[in-house]
Amino acid sequence: MAIQQGKQVCCYDCVECPEGRISTQRDADQCEPCPEDHYPNENKNWCIGKKLSYLSYGEPLGAILVSFTLLLSGNTVVLMGIFLLYRHTPIVKANNWGITWALLSSLLLCFLCSFLFIGWPGKVTCLLRQMVFGIIFSVSVACVLAKTLTVILAFMAAKPGSQMRRWLGNRLALSVIIFPSLIQTAICIVWLATSPPFPEYDMHSQSDTITVQCNEGSDLMFYLVLGFMWLLALISFTVAFFARKLPDSFNEAKLITFSMLVFCSIWVSFVPAYLGTKGKYTVAVEVFSILTSSGGLLGFLFFPKCYIMIFRPELNTRDQLVRKRSGGN
């Protein structure tokens, strides 16, 4: 009941209850609020239980992302088999078999870590998913940087009297991969120790839905993990860009340059997309970014080599490599 101004107390208007409140009878003195996990029906005379919302395997969006993940993971396994079969050929040896295998393995783990983001956000998955994602992605990008440096050093070591031969080998590549990965791991450990992620129920973002999500604990640490990954990607892109014109028929620098450009573009656009979505769609944006950026690295770095190994074996010879390095056609 709303008292009419300037009239008798017995005169009143019947007005609709405000948002979030109901009245189960006419001419009530005031409206009652719904419980936090309920919302009013259209007539505002009854409370309805809110639905739980999270990115599940059963809904279309979750099923699409799972299918995409399985497809890319299967392609990675096939590529690993192909490179294992052709590991003694010049095109694989020229680009360091060990780093190639490490990169393929880390990309496979990148695809599989998407499963940590899909399904019920429990305590363990909330703790692990951003940490696992950040560390594995740092390993992948560090492998790309190691491959680029290997290309440059191999070209410089081929010159007569070069002192660069002593830098070639697995020791330098291993250092380039391990050192950034340890830094990212240290950032994640600090994150876990100071403000770890945890599951939460968001009652208020949507009026009719309870969003079950992971609270990242510290937005600063989350963006610090992303920022370090972007820094590695930027360094890899810059080094590959300057090495893209080296005279080597198996030079990966051009492929790395383009793949890292795609990688950086995806993760730069991730931030506004991540901040502009709510609930399960925020998680879907991150999973999509993980899959597309990893798929870009997989496709641009390895599919051209597979094409040569399978369909153009005449290009997969030591003569081709030596001729190109010496400046021949």
Side-chain angles (χ1 to χ4, degrees):
M1 295 188 297
I3 303 300
Q4 296 179 351
Q5 295 294 330
K7 295 188 178 182
Q8 297 293 329
V9 178
C10 61
C11 297
Y12 61 88
D13 292 325
C14 188
V15 298
E16 190 179 61
C17 288
E19 192 68 31
R21 292 175 174 263
I22 64 163
S23 176
T24 57
Q25 61 181 16
R26 294 181 64 86
D27 299 336
D29 291 333
Q30 60 184 1
C31 298
E32 300 295 331
C34 282
E36 198 174 25
D37 57 348
H38 287 66
Y39 69 100
N41 63 352
E42 188 175 353
N43 295 324
K44 295 187 178 179
N45 60 2
W46 195 255
C47 289
I48 304 173
K50 294 182 179 180
K51 299 177 182 178
L52 294 178
S53 174
Y54 61 95
L55 186 62
S56 66
Y57 291 95
E59 64 179 296
L61 180 58
I64 290 172
L65 292 174
V66 168
S67 301
F68 197 21
T69 300
L70 292 175
L71 176 63
L72 291 171
S73 300
N75 286 338
T76 307
V77 172
V78 171
L79 285 174
M80 293 174 77
I82 293 173
F83 273 80
L84 184 63
L85 184 64
Y86 289 90
R87 67 186 182 279
H88 299 300
T89 60
I91 195 171
V92 177
K93 288 183 176 180
N95 291 300
N96 196 309
W97 159 247
I99 302 177
T100 298
W101 187 257
L103 178 55
L104 283 170
S105 300
S106 60
L107 287 176
L108 177 60
L109 293 176
C110 286
F111 294 132
L112 294 178
C113 82
S114 299
F115 288 114
L116 291 173
F117 292 83
I118 305 173
W120 183 265
K123 184 179 293 185
V124 175
T125 54
C126 285
L127 279 175
L128 289 179
R129 66 183 193 176
Q130 299 294 358
M131 314 296 168
V132 171
F133 150 70
I135 293 172
I136 293 176
F137 254 72
S138 296
V139 172
S140 300
V141 179
C143 287
V144 175
L145 178 59
K147 288 176 76 68
T148 310
L149 293 176
T150 300
V151 170
I152 296 174
L153 291 176
F155 174 76
M156 297 177 68
K159 296 180 179 180
S162 174
Q163 300 295 319
M164 290 296 174
R165 291 182 181 272
R166 60 179 179 174
W167 294 102
L168 286 176
N170 292 327
R171 181 177 299 178
L172 176 64
L174 196 61
S175 301
V176 173
I177 294 172
I178 290 178
F179 185 65
S181 304
L182 289 177
I183 294 177
Q184 187 71 289
T185 302
I187 295 173
C188 292
I189 290 174
V190 172
W191 188 0
L192 285 175
T194 56
S195 184
F198 58 91
E200 70 171 2
Y201 294 89
D202 183 1
M203 305 281 193
H204 308 292
S205 294
Q206 302 179 64
S207 60
D208 60 346
T209 303
I210 299 175
T211 302
V212 187
Q213 61 187 12
C214 290
N215 187 314
E216 304 305 347
S218 171
D219 291 336
L220 174 63
M221 297 304 296
F222 173 65
Y223 287 110
L224 187 60
V225 167
L226 286 182
F228 183 75
M229 186 181 70
W230 288 338
L231 177 62
L232 278 179
L234 183 62
I235 294 173
S236 298
F237 170 75
T238 304
V239 174
F241 179 79
F242 286 110
R244 72 192 189 282
K245 293 185 178 181
L246 292 180
D248 187 341
S249 59
F250 299 140
N251 180 12
E252 288 184 294
K254 293 179 181 178
L255 301 177
I256 293 173
T257 301
F258 190 71
S259 63
M260 294 312 299
L261 180 62
V262 172
F263 184 93
C264 293
S265 300
I266 290 171
W267 284 104
V268 167
S269 61
F270 162 77
V271 173
Y274 183 84
L275 296 176
T277 53
K278 293 181 179 180
K280 62 185 178 182
Y281 299 105
T282 303
V283 181
V285 165
E286 186 166 1
V287 174
F288 180 77
S289 299
I290 290 172
L291 294 177
T292 51
S293 57
S294 302
L297 289 178
L298 185 72
F300 293 122
L301 283 179
F302 295 105
F303 283 170
K305 298 173 194 172
C306 286
Y307 173 77
I308 291 176
M309 287 187 287
I310 297 174
F311 300 106
R312 299 293 302 276
E314 70 276 7
L315 298 179
N316 191 7
T317 62
R318 183 174 178 80
D319 290 340
Q320 281 288 124
L321 178 65
V322 174
R323 185 184 307 121
K324 199 74 175 182
R325 279 183 176 167
S326 62
N329 298 319

